[in-house]
Amino acid sequence: MSDIALSIPQARAARPRSAARVLRTVQTVSIFIIALVIVSPLLLLVVASLKDDRFQILADMGSFRAFWVSNPTLSNYAEVGHLSGELAFGRYLINSLIILATTVCSGLIVNSMAGFVLAWGSLRGRGVILSVVIALYVIPQESIIMPLVIMVSRAGISDTFAVQIVPWIASPLYIFLFYQFFTQLPKELLEAAEMDGASFFRAYRSIFLPLSLPALATVSILMGIETWNQYLWPILVTQTDYARPIAVAIATFFGQDSIYWDRAMAASVLMMIPILGLYLAFQRWFVSSFIGSAVKG
């Protein structure tokens, strides 16, 4: 009788532990399934880029054979990696890197300076200017793209690197992000710098800019992804292959007569590597910036 009385509380205490164990198992399995769904297109892309038969890639789609390659080869990468010739995707990749590096570096300087002036400058009507900047952000880019095409055509910079860089250096979103970050820093830093004889620009360059690494990392990654994935704008403002980026070049694999899946997959992997490297380079500050924004929000 006493053994039965002791076993009842033990059984009741074991129920929560058993329920918690089941919950953890369900959570682990759910996370694994979600991760598998997210990673599967990337895995399919890499595996397909290692196959040398474009018809076999198409035949494997829709089955588990799409995620397996029996005889991997780098021939597709060798074909698309040339700097000249019919498949000069190495040249397109270099074009994209030039556009990416110039746009991001120029954008960090211009947008951070604009944000700093809006945050701590002595402008008249600063609130109105800030409202206009925010209002410009909500205007769809596609609605102004045709007037912009006419403007760059009249300026004579069509079919150049400049036409893919200059219009996208200043951005309302990134100006606002820098403005928000600078306003969170204490104004006493600026007052102390001015007391030491530093100019407004010197205070920005020597004090505020080094403290804004999370904002610089966030804008670098967001601006880099936006620039790297540009497709419509290069199509509209470039007519030759001289300055076209790799995003436009990949579209040439999808012709009316045939689709070169093997080369398109290899070019897509090559296109993914630089922007992934940019994210890994700024990952620490990028994640801390988002976590800080979430906590403050």
Side-chain angles (χ1 to χ4, degrees), residues 11-276:
R12 289 178 178 174
R15 287 177 185 172
R17 289 199 295 270
S18 177
R21 193 178 301 116
V22 172
L23 181 61
R24 282 198 299 272
T25 304
V26 171
Q27 289 176 340
T28 303
V29 172
S30 301
I31 292 173
F32 179 76
I33 293 173
I34 293 172
L36 192 62
V37 170
I38 294 173
V39 172
S40 58
L42 180 62
L43 182 61
L44 188 148
L45 173 69
V46 175
V47 170
S49 70
L50 299 175
K51 298 179 179 178
D52 60 352
D53 188 348
R54 59 190 171 101
F55 298 107
Q56 186 62 43
I57 293 173
L58 194 60
D60 292 342
M61 292 290 181
S63 67
F64 286 106
R65 289 180 300 176
F67 299 95
W68 176 255
V69 51
S70 55
N71 297 309
T73 176
L74 297 177
S75 59
N76 297 323
Y77 291 94
E79 289 181 9
V80 302
H82 295 296
L83 296 176
S84 61
E86 185 182 359
L87 296 174
F89 280 83
R91 170 59 187 274
Y92 292 110
L93 186 61
I94 292 175
N95 290 347
S96 293
L97 289 173
I98 293 173
I99 295 168
L100 173 72
T102 310
T103 306
V104 172
C105 292
S106 305
L108 289 179
I109 296 172
V110 171
N111 294 309
S112 63
M113 288 181 68
F116 183 68
V117 171
L118 284 173
W120 300 121
S122 55
L123 290 174
R124 287 186 178 180
R126 191 172 56 183
V128 176
I129 297 173
L130 185 61
S131 300
V132 172
V133 169
I134 297 173
L136 289 174
Y137 169 63
V138 302
I139 296 176
Q141 188 182 91
E142 287 74 13
S143 63
I144 62 170
I145 202 162
M146 292 315 297
L148 201 55
V149 169
I150 297 173
M151 290 174 63
V152 298
S153 177
R154 294 286 177 83
I157 58 173
S158 296
D159 203 20
T160 63
F161 286 105
V163 75
Q164 300 177 76
I165 296 171
V166 175
W168 311 112
I169 290 177
S171 167
L173 172 62
Y174 305 136
I175 291 174
F176 183 68
L177 286 177
F178 276 113
Y179 163 80
Q180 269 200 317
F181 184 83
F182 286 133
T183 53
Q184 292 170 3
L185 297 178
K187 192 177 181 180
E188 286 76 11
L189 290 173
L190 179 61
E191 295 173 348
E194 290 176 343
M195 289 179 64
D196 288 342
S199 64
F200 185 75
F201 177 73
R202 178 69 182 276
Y204 154 78
R205 183 169 59 87
S206 302
I207 299 176
F208 284 86
L209 195 60
L211 293 175
S212 62
L213 277 178
L216 291 171
T218 303
V219 171
S220 296
I221 292 175
L222 295 179
M223 199 171 192
I225 294 173
E226 183 182 8
T227 304
W228 194 255
N229 293 332
Q230 283 275 9
Y231 179 76
L232 177 62
W233 179 250
I235 285 285
L236 293 174
V237 297
T238 58
Q239 292 79 40
T240 66
D241 297 336
Y242 167 71
R244 281 192 159 175
I246 192 170
V248 177
I250 287 178
T252 60
F253 287 124
F254 299 91
Q256 293 181 350
D257 300 328
S258 58
I259 299 176
Y260 297 90
W261 288 104
D262 48 353
R263 298 169 187 174
M265 297 293 183
S268 298
V269 173
L270 291 176
M271 180 181 174
M272 182 177 56
I273 292 174
I275 201 67
L276 191 60

Side-chain angles (χ1 to χ4, degrees), residues 283-297:
Q283 178 190 16
R284 186 179 61 175
W285 298 289
F286 182 72
V287 173
S288 65
S289 175
F290 267 86
I291 292 175
S293 301
V295 171
K296 288 167 186 172

